[in-house]
Amino acid sequence: MLVARSKSSGRWLQEHFDDQYVKKSRELGYRSRASFKLLELNEKDKLIRPGMTLVDLGAAPGGWSQIAAELVGDHGRVVSSDILPMDPLPGVQFVQGDFTEESVLNEILQTLGDQLADLVISDMAPNMSGMNAVDQPAAMYLVELALDMARQVLKPGGDFVAKVFQGEGFDEYMNDMRSSFTKVYSRKPDSSRARSREVYLIGRNFRP
Ligand SMILES: C[S@@+](CC[C@H](N)C(=O)[O-])C[C@H]1O[C@@H](n2cnc3c(N)ncnc32)[C@H](O)[C@@H]1O
């Protein structure tokens, strides 16, 4: 049977297999090429330290959680969540569900218990339809919810990292972050594909 494949999905597959970060992640046993984005962000900004409590939103298949669990070490905690299932990782507590549902937020809060977080990281992105008028608001909605959650769970002085797509709502979002963090800036890791509109916004020193 012939399987129809569009030009763009063919190009994506080709790029994917040629991609140095895909190759490197396989060699190093990382679950996704996304691991390198967090490693790069962390190298520049020293976000993750041993002993931290960290929340990872949009965590599957687990590339960021894997790095985070290694860096927080045995005295730290990583609570991760995704709408998709994720294979277990040592040192990671996982909550599966749709983050837009209040019950999922509550389950993450329950898992954290009394503990506040030092760092909330969100790499969440909706399934892209290719129609910007649909994708951009859907992506903005997820990062808005991530910011709301960060405001609920972060310790004073804590940090926040979120993947945000440049486009409608981006400037307003960055301004909203500025109302809760002393310093807000963006990063585009080398491992983030140049043609992707994704950037990572970083909020430092949470002020409740
Ligand atoms: C770019 S991937 C994350 C990759 C991950 N950081 C890693 O390092 O392996 C984006 C994730 O966002 C998740 N996602 C999208 N919509 C979601 C939602 N409504 N609730 C929870 N997760 C969602 C997707 O399932 C997907 O796993």
Side-chain angles (χ1 to χ4, degrees):
M1 192 178 77
L2 275 178
V3 178
R5 210 174 73 190
S6 71
K7 262 188 185 167
S8 64
S9 75
R11 186 182 66 178
W12 185 88
L13 275 175
Q14 193 57 48
E15 264 183 19
H16 185 72
F17 289 117
D18 290 346
D19 185 318
Q20 53 159 324
Y21 293 104
V22 172
K23 288 182 184 152
K24 242 165 97 177
S25 53
R26 285 213 197 92
E27 277 163 27
L28 296 173
Y30 293 156
R31 286 192 176 182
S32 67
R33 77 187 290 294
S35 302
F36 293 102
K37 299 182 199 172
L38 185 63
L39 283 168
E40 277 189 59
L41 293 172
N42 193 51
E43 182 149 328
K44 274 217 166 75
D45 295 302
K46 313 282 176 270
L47 296 157
I48 308 175
R49 290 178 297 280
M52 273 187 161
T53 296
L54 188 151
V55 177
D56 180 14
L57 302 172
W64 280 25
S65 290
Q66 199 176 12
I67 300 292
E70 273 171 32
L71 294 173
V72 301
D74 291 345
H75 298 292
R77 264 187 95 187
V78 176
V79 176
S80 299
S81 182
D82 202 288
I83 193 166
L84 297 176
M86 185 170 102
D87 287 340
L89 273 170
V92 176
Q93 291 171 281
F94 182 66
V95 173
Q96 188 186 348
D98 182 344
F99 191 66
T100 64
E101 287 173 13
E102 210 177 330
S103 59
V104 175
L105 170 68
N106 288 336
E107 209 187 321
I108 301 171
L109 296 178
Q110 247 177 38
T111 306
L112 273 171
D114 292 338
Q115 211 161 18
L116 289 174
D118 300 281
L119 177 64
V120 174
I121 56 182
S122 168
D123 197 24
M124 275 191 293
N127 276 333
M128 297 295 180
S129 69
M131 284 189 296
N132 191 47
V134 176
D135 295 337
Q136 184 65 11
M140 287 312 306
Y141 183 50
L142 288 176
V143 280
E144 275 158 20
L145 293 179
L147 179 56
D148 285 348
M149 179 192 204
R151 286 179 169 133
Q152 273 187 69
V153 303
L154 277 178
K155 287 178 189 165
D159 297 324
F160 175 60
V161 177
K163 171 159 73 189
V164 185
F165 292 89
Q166 282 167 316
E168 195 159 350
F170 180 90
D171 292 339
E172 291 82 353
Y173 185 81
M174 210 165 164
N175 281 335
D176 190 14
M177 276 179 70
R178 287 198 175 101
S179 67
S180 295
F181 296 89
T182 307
K183 203 172 159 195
V184 175
Y185 52 93
S186 67
R187 293 260 186 238
K188 175 83 178 168
D190 291 342
S191 46
S192 168
R193 291 189 170 100
R195 66 183 166 79
S196 162
R197 287 180 299 106
E198 75 178 17
V199 294
Y200 290 87
L201 289 183
I202 305 190
R204 306 301 298 253
N205 191 23
F206 175 57
R207 291 171 291 146

